[in-house]
Amino acid sequence: MTRSETTSDSTSMTHPQIMKALSGLMLGMFVAILSSTIVSNALPQIISDLGGTQSSYTWVVTAALLSMTAATPLWGKLSDLFSKKLLVQISLVIYVLGSVVAGMSQNTGMLIACRVVQGIGVGGLSALAQIVMAAMISPRERGRYSGYLGAVFAVATVGGPLLGGVITDTAWLGWRWCFYVGVPFAIIALIVLQRTLHLPVVRRDVKVDWLGAFLISGAVSLLLIWVTQAGDSYEWISWQTWAMTGGAVALGLLFVLVESRASDPIIPLRLFRNKTISLASAASLFVGIAMFSGTVFFSQFFQLARGESPTMSGILTIPMIGGLFVSSTVSGQVITKTGKWKAWLVAGGVLLTAGLGLLGTLRYDTPYWHIAVYMALTGLGLGMMMQNLVLATQNQVAPEDLGAASSVVTFFRSLGGAMGVSALGAVMAHQVTGYVKDGLTALGPKAAALGHGGTGGGGIPDLDKLPAPIRTVVESAYGHGVGDVFLYAAPTALLALLLCLFIKEVALKSKPAPHAPAAVSGQADANPSDANPADADPADATPAEVPAKA
């Protein structure tokens, strides 16, 4: 590989310069997260209107997570080859187009297909946000700005369900506007990105590993389809199970073989020789299960177990989002001052495990203040772990692997979320059906003759149309079923905690590390944002090289 070399001294950016450069990026992240979370409280109504089932409900969420999971490492690799700003803009456009068409959906199949397109876009935004930030900010300062990204995530996460609930409850708008409302924000984000984000365009003589991307996508897809359908469409022990799991394993092994021989693999396997990266990736997998189970199933709990409106459903989840907002912001600030991050990961793991374990006791009549405390603990734990696992990874790699390493951690987090939502959604559908049957049986033959209360075949019930005794049975079933979901998710948070205990802490550096030389084409600003600080660990650092600058 031939590279022309240019030299320049690395220049540190001031806080106002960094905030200006990141403004469009954070706005783009806000749009993507808002467009995702705004649907959460509207989903029970959406699935009911489109004639979907509990399986459809799960797949509307899982489809976006699946495509996000598959696309994340590809976006990370592309960021090492092409203009990061252009890639951010492309991913934002893809996401918006998916959202607009999703608003026109006539059935759940069309909605799920649109969610796949949305996931491709949000995969780019999720991976590129961390990569662009790492390209401008030293590892020591990065904790501070990771906290800002976490704050944006929290605001969009709490604002989305609230806005979605209001839109759904407003007769002259309706749930379709949940998909349209983000379009103006996206246009503003594109304009701001064009004006404020300036990074050098680095071109290298490499190839994109399309075969690797196809194989990992196929392996993950087969696994998720199996988890979602097993126990419903076919038995857990059946020829379909063996075919899908065997196919997933075969594709996974082929992926490893292809990556080991690729000249420029989509996920460089050598990264996993670093213990920190391996442990952080595995921990992110389990954190993803916890994170997405909370955001997906709370809307069903408040609306179907407690009879709340979509708007109130969003308001009632504020304790969890508040905890996430506080912990991500505070931990980022403290990490910037001290350079130490492991204690936050461990504390986050403890709080997340405790929060999910306590949420496992949920029932439809659990006092709300109990639920609020449990949600706050869960949010605090998530805020301490999500961004800091990426930060720990970025501190361990050479600059040329920054994009791939950052996207690997994001990949495993979204993979965990996709697997968790699929598996836990299947568990919930099974549990709710069982609890409804038991409840109706307890009411006697006359109650059983009234039917399944809207849950037969996995349907989403309309509580307002149910007789009082049947409604109580259904609410109790959903309350108990969601509690079971959190109870099953708690051990995954414990596993994440155990993995974090074994991560060796390497203090974040106060100054940008040297860069691999690179040819620069296109236009790059002469401001300090062109500097691309590295975060290589001293043990893994490449020989002293100079940073590229236009």
Side-chain angles (χ1 to χ4, degrees):
M1 186 182 301
T2 302
R3 300 180 183 176
S4 62
E5 301 182 11
T6 60
T7 63
S8 174
D9 295 326
S10 177
T11 309
S12 297
M13 296 175 69
T14 64
H15 176 67
Q17 288 174 321
I18 292 173
M19 292 306 297
K20 179 182 177 183
L22 290 180
S23 58
L25 187 67
M26 289 192 289
L27 185 57
M29 279 293 294
F30 178 80
V31 170
I33 297 165
L34 180 71
S35 298
S36 297
T37 59
I38 201 173
V39 178
S40 60
N41 283 331
L43 265 181
Q45 183 66 49
I46 293 172
I47 299 302
S48 178
D49 286 353
L50 296 180
T53 64
Q54 179 66 45
S55 178
S56 304
Y57 186 105
T58 301
W59 266 104
V60 168
V61 178
T62 304
L65 289 175
L66 173 59
S67 57
M68 175 182 171
T69 301
T72 294
L74 184 59
W75 285 110
K77 175 54 63 179
L78 290 173
S79 74
D80 289 333
L81 309 178
F82 305 110
S83 166
K84 295 176 180 62
K85 180 169 78 172
L86 179 61
L87 291 174
V88 172
Q89 292 173 315
I90 290 173
S91 61
L92 188 57
V93 169
I94 290 173
Y95 195 76
V96 169
L97 290 175
S99 298
V100 171
V101 180
M104 304 175 186
S105 298
Q106 301 301 310
N107 52 62
T108 54
M110 181 178 177
L111 179 60
I112 290 169
C114 293
R115 294 286 287 173
V116 170
V117 177
Q118 287 181 303
I120 294 172
V122 79
L125 289 166
S126 299
L128 293 165
Q130 295 289 342
I131 294 166
V132 170
M133 187 171 65
M136 297 188 296
I137 307 166
S138 69
R140 180 69 170 266
E141 287 291 318
R142 205 171 297 148
R144 176 184 186 183
Y145 296 97
S146 291
Y148 292 149
L149 279 183
V152 170
F153 179 92
V155 171
T157 303
V158 70
L162 286 173
L163 184 57
V166 171
I167 291 173
T168 304
D169 287 337
T170 303
W172 55 274
L173 288 175
W175 59 261
R176 295 184 187 276
W177 277 94
C178 291
F179 296 100
Y180 302 145
V181 73
V183 175
F185 294 100
I187 295 172
I188 296 172
L190 286 169
I191 295 171
V192 174
L193 278 167
Q194 184 63 35
R195 295 175 63 89
T196 63
L197 184 60
H198 302 284
L199 293 171
V201 181
V202 180
R203 300 199 180 206
R204 293 183 283 152
D205 185 18
V206 293
K207 295 181 179 179
V208 177
D209 182 19
W210 297 108
L211 179 58
F214 170 78
L215 290 173
I216 192 65
S217 301
V220 173
S221 299
L222 269 179
L223 205 57
L224 294 186
I225 292 171
W226 166 65
V227 169
T228 306
Q229 300 296 329
D232 183 17
S233 300
Y234 45 82
E235 296 298 322
W236 284 96
I237 304 299
S238 62
W239 70 265
Q240 291 96 331
T241 290
W242 292 115
M244 291 188 183
T245 55
V249 170
L251 288 174
L253 292 174
L254 277 174
F255 171 74
V256 172
L257 178 63
V258 168
E259 296 301 276
S260 65
R261 297 184 177 183
S263 58
D264 202 10
I266 192 169
I267 299 180
L269 299 181
R270 55 185 167 75
L271 292 177
F272 295 102
R273 296 173 190 164
N274 186 304
K275 185 178 179 182
T276 295
I277 295 176
S278 298
L279 291 172
S281 297
S284 292
L285 179 79
F286 296 119
V287 169
I289 296 175
M291 180 176 72
F292 288 103
S293 65
T295 57
V296 169
F297 295 108
F298 268 130
S299 61
Q300 284 193 305
F301 176 78
F302 285 118
Q303 292 181 51
L304 300 178
R306 298 177 79 94
E308 301 289 354
S309 68
T311 300
M312 280 304 299
S313 180
I315 293 173
L316 294 173
T317 58
I318 286 178
M320 184 177 75
I321 307 307
L324 193 155
F325 179 89
V326 170
S327 62
S328 63
T329 304
V330 172
S331 66
Q333 296 284 351
V334 175
I335 288 171
T336 294
K337 292 180 180 178
T338 64
K340 304 290 186 180
W341 45 264
K342 184 173 179 178
W344 292 99
L345 288 179
V346 174
V350 171
L351 291 173
L352 184 58
T353 303
L356 288 174
L358 291 169
L359 286 170
T361 65
L362 285 186
R363 298 297 182 265
Y364 80 105
D365 56 354
T366 301
Y368 176 70
W369 74 268
H370 289 185
I371 301 172
V373 172
Y374 305 160
M375 287 192 294
L377 290 175
T378 303
L380 288 169
L382 285 172
M384 292 179 188
M385 298 191 79
M386 282 189 344
Q387 301 294 337
N388 293 330
L389 283 169
V390 178
L391 191 64
T393 300
Q394 290 176 339
N395 197 45
Q396 293 283 310
V397 296
E400 59 268 21
D401 289 328
L402 191 59
S406 301
S407 61
V408 160
V409 178
T410 308
F411 167 81
F412 278 100
R413 188 172 66 207
S414 56
L415 175 62
M419 294 177 64
V421 170
S422 296
L424 295 174
V427 167
M428 182 174 165
H430 179 268
Q431 295 292 88
V432 167
T433 301
Y435 291 140
V436 168
K437 288 181 179 178
D438 293 343
L440 293 177
T441 301
L443 289 178
K446 290 185 178 180
L450 292 176
H452 45 68
T455 64
I460 304 295
D462 185 343
L463 296 180
D464 294 332
K465 296 180 180 179
L466 300 179
I470 305 299
R471 174 169 178 157
T472 300
V473 168
V474 172
E475 288 179 339
S476 177
Y478 270 94
H480 202 163
V482 173
D484 289 347
V485 163
F486 287 117
L487 188 62
Y488 295 148
T492 65
L494 180 60
L495 288 173
L497 168 62
L498 295 175
L499 289 166
C500 289
L501 290 174
F502 289 99
I503 297 178
K504 182 180 178 180
E505 183 168 43
V506 177
L508 303 181
K509 299 154 191 66
S510 301
K511 298 179 180 180
H515 237 274
V520 178
S521 68
Q523 293 185 348
D525 254 15
N527 64 35
S529 66
D530 291 354
N532 187 11
D535 18 15
D537 183 88
D540 299 324
T542 53
E545 295 169 320
V546 292
K549 182 168 181 170

